[in-house]
Amino acid sequence: MTETAESRLEAVRGRIERAAREVGRDPASVRLVVVSKTFGEVDIKPVIAAGQRLFGENRVQEAQSKWPALKNAHSDLELHLIGPLQTNKVRDAVALFDVIHTLDRPKLARALKTEMAARGKTVRLLIQVNTGEEEQKAGVAPADLPALLALAQDELKLEVEGLMCIPPVDEEPAVHFAFLAKLAREHGLPELSMGMSGDFESAVELGATYVRVGSSVFGSRPPIATTSQDPG
Ligand SMILES: *Cc1c(COP(=O)(O)O)cnc(C)c1O
């Protein structure tokens, strides 16, 4: 059988469903965010045609180059920002994205609040937690999460739906997924964004409500401009 984006998408959906059933979860409680970074419209269109509606991008500028046209053509598409957000890109991000997974500091929370109020648009938010406490990685330190949540929810009245993490590459991801799930439970947050191509089944078993999957759907990415250090 020839592998197509459509057949790979079906395979990923099937694996999510099995992983959910394995632990007695309703498969519909897990939403697949297909990560289209580095891929263009030609690659994305067949995935939309196959019924996929949630997509993720990690850089604002790259997303701006392809998604406005696609969103115009499909009003029910939902675009998720899954990469770090600089405050000077907040205006563009609020204009384009429906969900931002990477709120991680007070200054960004304030900038998002200001921009959403000015635009009269609500963008759903998740807080990225640096569960591995890695120096170079984005995300709020677990110890600083309560203060950031208090600022975002109580003071700024932002809609924080949940938490997101990217486990350290050299550690067992399940440990980080379980930790993130525990933090979300403690703070009464319903959404958990965790799991990528290499580990999404484990994430589903530990409670993920969003899994972010790129290469398992599109095939491997060309090795260009995709490092996590890129500020987007
Ligand atoms: C690229 C990326 C993904 C998807 O990674 P794959 O291994 O291709 O599935 C998920 N989350 C984030 C934050 C990413 O940058």
Side-chain angles (χ1 to χ4, degrees), residues 149-216:
L149 259 176
L151 169 72
Q153 291 183 313
D154 306 338
E155 190 181 325
L156 301 175
K157 313 288 182 208
L158 290 168
E159 290 189 25
V160 178
E161 298 192 330
L163 303 177
M164 175 269 213
C165 77
I166 307 170
V169 287
D170 54 351
E171 289 182 26
E172 172 56 47
V175 174
H176 294 268
F177 298 155
F179 179 47
L180 195 73
K182 174 171 163 282
L183 290 175
R185 250 191 333 270
E186 284 172 3
H187 292 285
L189 298 167
E191 304 288 351
L192 274 173
S193 168
M194 54 192 201
M196 311 182 11
S197 287
D199 52 25
F200 67 83
E201 283 146 311
S202 158
V204 168
E205 287 169 14
L206 290 162
T209 61
Y210 290 116
V211 291
R212 312 176 307 263
V213 178
S215 45
S216 289

Side-chain angles (χ1 to χ4, degrees), residues 56-84:
E57 289 280 345
N58 70 333
R59 301 176 68 210
V60 175
Q61 222 165 346
E62 182 188 339
Q64 277 179 313
S65 73
K66 50 189 165 180
W67 284 101
L70 291 166
K71 284 187 105 182
N72 275 340
H74 304 271
S75 59
D76 56 344
L77 288 183
E78 202 175 273
L79 195 59
H80 294 237
L81 178 64
I82 60 168

